[in-house]
């Protein structure tokens, strides 16, 4: 993210009393570990509050961002402001979003890896559950959605497998003889 985009994201989050998580290759930074929105979000995901660092004054080169809001009534306005300069992927059961650099998505990453490794498209598989995976699914030979994926991915002709919690990856890979059953 450009420094000015990071500052804009922070301003929007602060204006609507939300939280942000910015990631580098090594750390995950939050504004405040005691933010009610952050704590509620982490509890909702069933995640521990460990592993996060409160952001200091140092400038970082952030690669990934996520934002969330406690007050759902502000979502349309916050979303509108963020979409002016980023791409968003909403989380299914929370008032939160993955925030991406406009025009940069998983599909571009997959294409670069395919080009670099010279792997035939028919040998590339991708498993997905969220709308932020759409471009990735459209970039591979075998796009697979899990049973608990977002509604927007269903009915698009993608292959399907069981829920992740019901061994969806394993079931798909063994059923298609890509790995041996244990």
């Amino acid at each position: 993210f450009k420094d000015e985009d990071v500052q804009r994201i922070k301003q929007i989050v602060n204006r609507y009393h939300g939280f942000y998580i910015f990631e580098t290759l090594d750390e995950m930074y939050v504004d405040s570990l005691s933010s009610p929105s952050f704590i509620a979000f982490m509890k909702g995901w069933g995640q521990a509050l460990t592993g996060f660092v409160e952001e200091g004054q140092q400038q970082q080169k952030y690669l990934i961002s996520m934002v969330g809001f406690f007050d759902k009534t502000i979502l349309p306005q916050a979303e509108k402001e963020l979409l002016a300069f980023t791409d968003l992927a909403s989380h299914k059961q929370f008032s939160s979003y993955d925030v991406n650099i406009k025009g940069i998505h998983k599909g571009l990453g997959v294409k670069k890896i395919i080009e670099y490794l010279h792997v035939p498209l028919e040998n590339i598989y991708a498993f997905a559950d969220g709308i932020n995976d759409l471009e990735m699914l459209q970039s591979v030979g075998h796009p697979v959605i899990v049973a608990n994926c977002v509604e927007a991915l269903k009915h698009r002709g993608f292959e399907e497998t069981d829920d992740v919690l019901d061994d969806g990856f394993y079931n798909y890979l063994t059923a298609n003889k890509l790995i041996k059953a244990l």
Side-chain angles (χ1 to χ4, degrees):
F1 284 93
K2 295 177 187 172
D3 291 341
E4 58 266 22
D5 290 341
V6 169
Q7 294 311 314
R8 287 176 73 184
I9 292 168
K10 289 178 183 180
Q11 288 169 355
I12 293 167
V13 166
N14 289 333
R15 183 168 38 259
Y16 295 111
H17 309 288
F19 72 92
Y20 60 79
I21 299 172
F22 283 108
E23 295 181 37
T24 67
L25 288 175
D26 302 312
E27 297 283 345
M28 294 181 294
Y29 293 90
V30 297
D31 182 31
S32 169
L33 291 169
S34 60
S35 160
S37 295
F38 174 68
I39 292 169
F41 175 79
M42 296 304 286
K43 285 183 179 179
W45 277 95
Q47 296 291 317
L49 298 176
T50 58
F52 293 90
V53 176
E54 283 193 2
E55 188 177 44
Q57 297 302 314
Q58 72 280 12
Q59 288 288 336
Q60 301 289 338
K61 289 297 176 192
Y62 298 120
L63 306 173
I64 300 172
S65 177
M66 184 175 65
V67 298
F69 304 95
F70 190 69
D71 179 1
K72 292 181 181 187
T73 64
I74 59 84
L75 291 180
Q77 185 60 32
E79 190 174 293
K80 180 181 175 185
E81 290 181 38
L82 288 163
L83 282 170
F85 65 102
T86 68
D87 287 334
L88 299 176
S90 64
H91 297 141
K92 192 161 73 169
Q93 59 265 71
F94 299 101
S95 318
S96 57
Y97 306 87
D98 288 333
V99 181
N100 299 305
I101 298 168
K102 201 160 223 24
I104 304 295
H105 51 76
K106 293 177 182 181
L108 292 174
V110 168
K111 287 178 183 177
K112 292 289 185 186
I113 291 169
I114 291 170
E115 289 171 12
Y116 182 78
L117 296 175
H118 306 290
V119 178
L121 196 58
E122 64 269 11
N123 293 340
I124 306 294
Y125 294 76
F127 294 86
D129 65 351
I131 195 63
N132 63 326
D133 299 321
L134 181 60
E135 292 90 350
M136 175 182 67
L137 291 169
Q138 294 170 331
S139 302
V140 301
H142 297 275
V144 183
I145 56 173
V146 295
N148 63 324
C149 72
V150 296
E151 199 61 37
L153 290 181
K154 297 178 180 178
H155 315 295
R156 291 179 176 259
F158 298 133
E159 297 177 62
E160 296 182 32
T161 190
D162 301 321
D163 187 311
V164 174
L165 298 176
D166 293 326
D167 299 321
F169 295 163
Y170 174 79
N171 294 341
Y172 179 89
L173 295 171
T174 55
N176 289 282
K177 300 182 179 13
L178 296 167
I179 62 171
K180 290 182 182 181
L182 298 176

